Amino acid sequence: MQHEKITPAGATKWFHSRDWAQGLNLEAHKSTDTMEFCFQYARNREYWDKALAWLRDTDLEKMPAGKYKISGDHVYASVSEGPTKNLEDIRWEAHQKYIDIQYVSSGKEKIGVAKLSKAVAIEAFNVEKDVGFYEIPEPDCRYYVAEPGTFFIFFPQDAHRPGIRVKGNDTDKKIVIKIRVK
């Protein structure tokens, strides 16, 4: 499927068909850009299938913190467990080389979501670490609670602010799968 041939209606239909999920019982968050997801999946199905199969087939509760290769440096996962932080201690970030799938497998955290086009860089993009940090005006962002059952997807045009403490929940276990943009 070519990007030019993907229509909003076609992307929505594809997304809701869940053919991409291959039996994964988790939901993609409602903030997911379905057009971009459809485009990236069509462009790079092999990486997406490996990432989603790993998420489906891995016992995430028993998975210790660490980094896990799924498909060389094209697809890998980082598992972390620990405290969430106060809003003022977390910066907006975005990536260019990798797409993030972020899934909180236990506990809760708040995640900010915004379009990178609304952001102002606060330091130079670090190409080696594939991360840039930004400021985003409050009217241009939304915050959601991330908890087991739903994952977030962040594309290069998305900024995100993860790991924010939710009242009554100070820690979580989180899986971040990185998928190289093709």
Side-chain angles (χ1 to χ4, degrees), residues 23-39:
L24 177 65
N25 289 324
L26 305 176
E27 296 293 326
H29 191 264
K30 67 182 181 178
S31 65
T32 301
D33 181 335
T34 55
M35 279 285 290
E36 189 64 19
F37 185 19
C38 185
F39 170 66

Side-chain angles (χ1 to χ4, degrees), residues 157-177:
Q157 66 272 19
D158 299 323
H160 51 287
R161 192 177 193 184
I164 302 166
R165 182 172 292 120
V166 172
K167 187 176 180 177
N169 194 85
D170 294 337
T171 63
D172 68 5
K173 184 172 187 178
K174 185 173 188 176
I175 292 82
V176 177
I177 299 177

Side-chain angles (χ1 to χ4, degrees), residues 8-28:
T12 299
K13 182 178 178 182
W14 170 83
F15 179 76
H16 290 296
S17 75
R18 292 190 49 88
D19 290 342
W20 53 268
Q22 303 171 26
L24 177 65
N25 289 324
L26 305 176
E27 296 293 326

Side-chain angles (χ1 to χ4, degrees), residues 44 47 70-76 97-98 178-181:
N44 201 355
Y47 294 166
I70 298 171
S71 183
D73 67 345
H74 301 293
V75 183
Y76 64 90
K97 291 191 285 190
Y98 287 92
K178 297 282 196 173
I179 301 172
R180 184 178 290 279
V181 175

Side-chain angles (χ1 to χ4, degrees), residues 16-102:
H16 290 296
S17 75
R18 292 190 49 88
D19 290 342
W20 53 268
Q22 303 171 26
L24 177 65
N25 289 324
L26 305 176
E27 296 293 326
H29 191 264
K30 67 182 181 178
S31 65
T32 301
D33 181 335
T34 55
M35 279 285 290
E36 189 64 19
F37 185 19
C38 185
F39 170 66
Q40 290 293 337
Y41 185 87
R43 202 168 180 206
N44 201 355
R45 184 175 181 157
E46 176 187 355
Y47 294 166
W48 282 96
D49 286 349
K50 287 180 179 183
L52 295 168
W54 188 88
L55 196 55
R56 178 193 66 219
D57 299 338
T58 303
D59 185 345
L60 301 173
E61 291 307 311
K62 293 181 181 174
M63 181 70 56
K67 189 173 176 178
Y68 300 89
K69 285 187 176 189
I70 298 171
S71 183
D73 67 345
H74 301 293
V75 183
Y76 64 90
S78 295
V79 177
S80 61
E81 194 165 7
T84 51
K85 298 179 181 176
N86 294 323
L87 176 68
E88 60 273 9
D89 296 328
I90 305 284
R91 299 186 287 179
W92 287 95
E93 63 182 67
H95 313 288
Q96 294 174 356
K97 291 191 285 190
Y98 287 92
I99 297 162
D100 276 9
I101 295 175
Q102 295 196 12

Side-chain angles (χ1 to χ4, degrees), residues 119-142:
V120 175
I122 56 174
E123 63 183 65
F125 191 88
N126 185 324
V127 175
E128 185 179 309
K129 293 183 178 181
D130 188 39
V131 68
F133 295 103
Y134 304 89
E135 288 182 356
I136 297 179
E138 286 303 314
D140 294 324
C141 61
R142 304 236 11 204

Side-chain angles (χ1 to χ4, degrees), residues 108-128:
K108 295 179 184 180
E109 70 179 46
K110 194 179 291 185
I111 295 180
V113 178
K115 290 297 175 194
L116 190 57
S117 61
K118 303 291 185 178
V120 175
I122 56 174
E123 63 183 65
F125 191 88
N126 185 324
V127 175
E128 185 179 309

